[in-house]
């Protein structure tokens, strides 16, 4: 494998702990202990050997041994604890961090109850194929050692079963040596493509026992060989023959890394082939969306009509690990097989399991390159003789003011004003609302957008946003998340974690005072049944009382702005909020938007009900 390819698989963001963050929560009066003395010291030391910078957690007695080891043996450094007010937030922060860095940090949750809270975030990370190492704990496996009642309710025969169907691997090691091995194996598995969360459950007794004898030192790197792969030359040859003969090639750009090299490789390939390119909002930016070859406004759910038209006209389709290739074919061709030849670059099938159907429909494939797009595209470029140059986006025209509506304040007003207020800054969108219109904000760098929560689990936004901002702290990029009010309310305590650890970020809440997505579903059902669609809001609206989101943010140490009701106040409010973030704060802006999605999204959700 070429060096260029090897480099492409890694993100260009530092995964070291940030210096100003290290100043928060300093332990006092530490004794200098060099060698692990307790079972849990071995676990803590292994986390350090693995260079895990942070561990997002909510505490619990089941891992009080490990907790002590991280604070008093490691000095709360590498990993540093990030206290979270809910376990779902802890795991989704780790997920957001991985979305930027491509690498796992750790999270810790308390016995079965903490793990129960964390399940939603496990599922989101799993569907998003993002690495997270989650540590858990159980009351003493040895029943004779259990405290009455509490240790019994917090001990389960097979705790890992709670999340096993949507993790790559889990373990419950029975000794300090086995714990060390489990951490090495788990971290290695999590970070190996297709990536995903792993869960390691430590027996409370094991953690709290004195270490009987020291463990033989090991070199962790030797247990974690780089799992790089390359497509076979014959398969590359077959793919290249198809691509060379193509008159109307289409590239579906799906799950790719945040690497700039990978981005340049994809642009060079598309330009050499004169291929139309399709991207989507489920996942991070994969291709410049304002490039002339970018064929259609990126959609969030099903592939939009203009993208379908491009797929329909294609004679060769190059799939770069699109999340749902089978779904693209289904909506475009119905039950008929596509006539176009299909080259598929994906290794996702290697982790498909029986419980969750997130593997999607089975697509037609003529040539399979069973590696990641970051590994395959440079090989295709090499075989095609393509020269890869750094992609230079054209400068955007300067504007005096954003183009805002004159009627009710809609989501696109928020987005346009936000984009205008951000100006020339490099911005990473770490989350976007369901109401987002992909036409409004072009992505021109792989870190311009890191993708949605993955598993469609509402409540992933705030945690993902804080995790991404943590990874970007000090990078010079402005971290911005736009969350729905439903999404924000489900996990708003992520704001406290960001404020406490001084992780600057801007969260804008597209506050339509509703779980609006489901209003459209109720409208659809009512129309089909010839019942009054005007009742769609009942059981959906988050109003009377309206929630004061700015106060909620302020109460957790952030700067709260709004509610903003008028278009004319948007830009100035965002400018103030951005200034607060650039001064190191967390800022939350409540924008009261009219309930509603873009015309395209609304039409898609209500399609087929027009006559009723
Ligand atoms: C955990 C979870 N609960 C419920 C849903 C169903 N659901 C899908 S979208 C949505 C509304 C989200 O509301 P909000 O974030 O305010 O976005 P809006 O649709 O209002 O723009 C709900 C409840 C879900 N996907 N995940
Ligand atoms: Mg809403």
């Amino acid at each position: 494998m070429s060096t260029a390819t090897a480099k492409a698989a890694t993100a260009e963001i530092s995964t070291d702990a940030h210096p100003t963050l290290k100043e928060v929560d300093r332990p006092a009066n530490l004794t200098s202990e060099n060698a692990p003395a307790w079972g849990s010291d071995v676990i803590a030391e292994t986390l350090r050997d693995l260079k895990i910078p942070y561990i997002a957690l909510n505490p619990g007695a089941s891992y009080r041994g490990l907790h002590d080891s991280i604070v008093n043996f490691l000095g709360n450094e590498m990993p540093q604890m990030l206290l979270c007010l809910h376990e779902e937030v802890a795991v989704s922060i780790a997920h957001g961090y991985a979305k930027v860095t491509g690498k796992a940090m750790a999270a810790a949750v308390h016995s079965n109850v903490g793990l129960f809270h964390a399940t939603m975030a496990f599922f989101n990370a799993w569907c998003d194929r993002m690495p997270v190492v989650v540590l858990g704990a159980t009351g003493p496996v040895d029943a004779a050692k259990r405290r009455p009642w509490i240790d019994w309710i917090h001990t389960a025969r097979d705790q890992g079963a709670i999340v096993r169907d949507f993790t790559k691997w889990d373990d419950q090691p029975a000794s300090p040596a086995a714990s060390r091995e489990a951490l090495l194996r788990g971290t290695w598995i999590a970070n190996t493509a297709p990536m995903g969360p792993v869960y390691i459950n430590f027996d409370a007794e094991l953690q709290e026992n004195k270490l009987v004898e020291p463990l033989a030192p090991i070199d962790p790197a030797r247990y974690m060989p780089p799992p790089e792969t390359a497509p076979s030359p014959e398969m590359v040859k077959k793919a290249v023959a198809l691509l060379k003969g193509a008159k109307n090639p289409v590239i579906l750009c799906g799950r790719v890394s945040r690497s700039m090299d990978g981005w340049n490789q994809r642009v060079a390939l598309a330009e050499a082939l004169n291929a139309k390119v399709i991207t989507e909002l489920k996942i991070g930016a994969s291709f410049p969306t304002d490039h002339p070859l970018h064929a259609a406004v990126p959609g969030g759910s099903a592939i939009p009509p203009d993208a379908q038209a491009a797929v329909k006209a294609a004679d060769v389709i190059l799939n770069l690990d699109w999340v749902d290739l089978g779904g693209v074919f289904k909506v475009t061709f119905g039950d008929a097989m596509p006539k176009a030849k299909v080259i598929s670059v994906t290794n996702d099938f290697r982790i498909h399991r029986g419980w969750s159907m997130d593997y999607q429909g089975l697509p037609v494939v003529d040539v399979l390159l069973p590696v990641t797009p970051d590994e395959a595209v440079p090989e295709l470029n090499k075989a095609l003789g393509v020269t890869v140059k750094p992609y230079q986006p054209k400068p955007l025209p300067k504007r005096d003011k954003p183009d805002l509506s004159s009627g009710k304040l809609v989501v696109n007003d928020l987005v346009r004003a936000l984009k205008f207020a951000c100006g020339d800054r490099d911005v990473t969108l770490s989350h976007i609302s369901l109401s987002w219109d992909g036409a409004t904000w072009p992505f021109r760098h792989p870190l311009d957008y890191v993708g949605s929560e993955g598993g469609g689990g509402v409540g992933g936004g705030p945690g993902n946003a804080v995790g991404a901002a943590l990874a970007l702290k000090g990078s010079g990029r402005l971290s911005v998340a736009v969350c729905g009010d439903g999404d924000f309310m489900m996990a708003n305590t992520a704001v406290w974690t960001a404020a406490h650890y001084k992780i600057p970020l801007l969260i804008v809440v597209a506050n339509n005072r509703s779980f609006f997505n489901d209003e459209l579903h109720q409208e659809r059902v009512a129309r089909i049944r010839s019942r009054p669609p005007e009742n769609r809001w009942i059981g959906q609206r988050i109003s009377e009382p309206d929630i004061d989101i700015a106060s909620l943010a302020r109460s957790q140490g952030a700067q709260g702005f709004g509610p903003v009701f008028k278009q004319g106040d948007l830009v100035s409010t965002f400018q103030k909020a951005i200034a607060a973030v650039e001064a190191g704060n967390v800022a939350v802006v409540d924008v009261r938007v009219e309930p509603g999605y873009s015309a395209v999204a609304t039409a898609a959700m209500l399609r087929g009900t027009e006559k009723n």
Side-chain angles (χ1 to χ4, degrees):
M1 190 173 137
S2 70
T3 331
T5 318
K7 253 178 70 195
T10 54
E12 283 127 10
I13 289 284
S14 161
T15 50
D16 289 347
H18 196 274
T20 62
L21 219 138
K22 281 188 194 161
E23 291 160 13
V24 185
D25 296 348
R26 289 294 85 224
N29 305 325
L30 296 178
T31 52
S32 54
E33 294 174 83
N34 297 326
W38 304 89
S40 58
D41 289 352
V42 171
I43 301 168
E45 186 181 54
T46 309
L47 293 172
R48 172 159 300 168
D49 287 346
L50 288 164
K51 301 190 171 58
I52 302 277
Y54 306 110
I55 182 163
L57 56 80
N58 186 265
S62 61
Y63 72 90
R64 62 189 186 185
L66 177 60
H67 199 117
D68 169 72
S69 296
I70 295 174
V71 174
N72 292 320
F73 177 57
L74 295 186
N76 196 23
E77 217 178 291
M78 193 65 94
Q80 178 178 1
M81 290 181 171
L82 303 179
L83 177 60
C84 300
L85 309 190
H86 193 289
E87 289 83 353
E88 182 181 347
V89 169
V91 176
S92 69
I93 286 178
H95 174 192
Y97 175 88
K99 280 163 103 51
V100 171
T101 62
K103 291 234 163 58
M105 60 171 255
V109 298
H110 167 53
S111 69
N112 50 354
V113 281
L115 189 60
F116 281 132
H117 264 182
T119 50
M120 181 69 259
F122 265 88
F123 184 71
N124 275 337
W126 164 260
C127 291
D128 203 25
R129 307 290 186 251
M130 284 296 159
V132 181
V133 174
V134 186
L135 312 187
T138 169
V141 173
D142 180 353
K145 303 276 167 52
R146 278 177 217 150
R147 295 173 294 162
W149 185 64
I150 189 73
D151 273 351
W152 288 80
I153 54 172
H154 288 172
T155 304
R157 160 103 35 247
D158 180 11
Q159 203 195 88
I162 297 171
V163 290
R164 184 165 304 134
D165 286 315
F166 41 96
T167 50
K168 276 189 82 179
W169 180 76
D170 73 284
D171 196 13
Q172 187 175 309
S175 68
S179 299
R180 180 169 71 177
E181 181 167 330
L183 282 166
L184 297 180
R185 191 194 303 272
T187 308
W188 186 58
I189 290 175
N191 285 330
T192 300
M195 299 183 287
V198 298
Y199 179 62
I200 307 169
N201 182 21
F202 298 103
D203 181 352
E205 195 200 352
L206 177 163
Q207 298 173 54
E208 294 188 28
N209 276 349
K210 257 199 136 109
L211 199 59
V212 187
E213 53 182 359
L215 266 55
I218 56 164
D219 175 2
R222 294 191 65 203
Y223 291 89
M224 307 171 78
E228 283 160 13
T229 51
S232 82
E234 279 116 276
M235 287 303 174
V236 170
K237 217 188 251 174
K238 280 191 185 169
V240 163
L242 286 175
L243 291 171
K244 273 187 174 160
K247 290 197 177 63
N248 288 313
V250 163
I251 302 176
L252 290 157
C253 268
R255 292 178 175 122
V256 297
S257 82
R258 300 299 98 218
S259 131
M260 196 65 218
D261 184 42
W263 180 268
N264 292 333
Q265 292 276 356
R266 289 187 294 278
V267 173
L269 178 66
E271 287 177 353
L273 297 171
N274 196 28
K276 292 214 163 93
V277 179
I278 300 169
T279 64
E280 65 173 338
L281 298 174
K282 288 189 197 76
I283 43 192
S286 54
F287 193 87
T289 56
D290 58 356
H291 189 288
L293 290 171
H294 193 265
V297 169
S301 184
I303 178 171
D306 39 357
Q308 283 178 45
V311 172
K312 218 173 243 168
D315 54 352
V316 174
I317 295 165
L318 174 61
N319 163 44
L320 298 182
D321 210 8
W322 189 263
V323 173
D324 181 14
L325 184 62
V328 169
F329 293 159
K330 179 111 185 170
V331 294
T332 312
F333 304 109
D335 292 333
M337 272 198 297
K339 290 207 183 71
K341 290 287 182 195
V342 181
I343 304 161
S344 196
V345 177
T346 179
N347 59 3
D348 201 59
F349 58 88
R350 297 202 188 279
I351 56 163
H352 293 169
R353 308 265 313 271
W355 182 82
S356 165
M357 311 285 153
D358 64 274
Y359 45 72
Q360 313 292 336
L362 188 65
V364 166
V365 174
D366 298 291
V367 177
L368 175 68
L369 306 183
V371 297
T372 65
D374 283 87
E375 290 165 324
V377 173
E379 300 297 323
L380 293 174
N381 276 334
K382 230 188 292 164
L384 285 160
V386 175
T387 315
V388 179
K389 289 181 283 186
Y391 169 69
Q392 297 288 359
K394 286 209 186 82
L396 291 171
K398 283 254 176 273
R399 314 193 67 172
D400 299 338
K401 55 181 177 48
D403 189 13
L404 304 181
S405 69
S406 52
K408 292 179 169 163
L409 198 164
V410 294
V411 178
N412 244 343
D413 291 326
L414 176 165
V415 179
R416 289 196 174 107
L418 181 60
K419 178 103 190 95
F420 183 83
C422 287
D424 291 336
R425 293 173 180 85
D426 289 330
V427 174
T428 292
L429 286 170
S430 50
H431 193 73
I432 57 176
S433 62
L434 287 164
S435 49
W436 192 267
D437 180 349
T440 317
W441 191 304
F443 303 144
R444 315 174 96 209
H445 183 282
L447 280 170
D448 280 358
Y449 173 53
V450 299
S452 81
E453 72 293 306
V458 172
N464 282 179
V466 173
L470 170 69
L472 290 166
K473 188 170 156 80
S475 70
R477 294 188 76 94
L478 177 68
S479 288
V480 178
V482 179
C483 297
D485 51 322
D487 185 36
F488 183 76
M489 287 309 301
M490 282 195 194
N492 72 82
T493 61
V495 166
W496 180 86
T497 300
H500 181 76
Y501 294 98
K502 306 192 185 337
I503 302 166
L505 92 145
L506 171 60
I507 298 181
V508 179
V509 181
N511 186 1
N512 54 17
R513 287 137 290 141
S514 175
F515 289 106
F516 181 73
N517 182 280
D518 287 278
E519 289 198 37
L520 291 179
H521 285 294
Q522 293 320 127
E523 177 170 344
R524 182 182 177 87
V525 173
R527 281 178 191 273
I528 287 168
R529 296 178 179 181
S530 300
R531 290 174 176 166
E534 55 272 26
N535 292 331
R536 69 178 196 182
W537 60 273
I538 295 177
Q540 312 276 4
R541 289 284 161 110
I542 315 171
S543 62
E544 295 175 29
D546 289 3
I547 294 170
D548 184 351
I549 283 175
S551 291
L552 188 65
R554 262 179 238 124
S555 75
Q556 299 183 69
Q559 295 204 8
F561 296 85
V564 179
F565 294 99
K566 291 192 292 220
Q567 282 90 334
D569 295 336
L570 283 168
V571 172
S572 57
T573 308
F574 289 143
Q575 281 167 339
K576 281 183 218 139
I578 290 168
V581 173
E582 288 180 336
N585 299 289
V586 180
V588 176
V589 185
D590 177 358
V591 181
R592 299 292 166 91
V593 297
E594 200 51 28
Y597 287 174
S598 70
V600 180
T602 309
M605 287 182 75
L606 296 180
R607 193 158 294 133
T609 66
E610 292 85 354
K611 288 197 195 77
N612 295 288

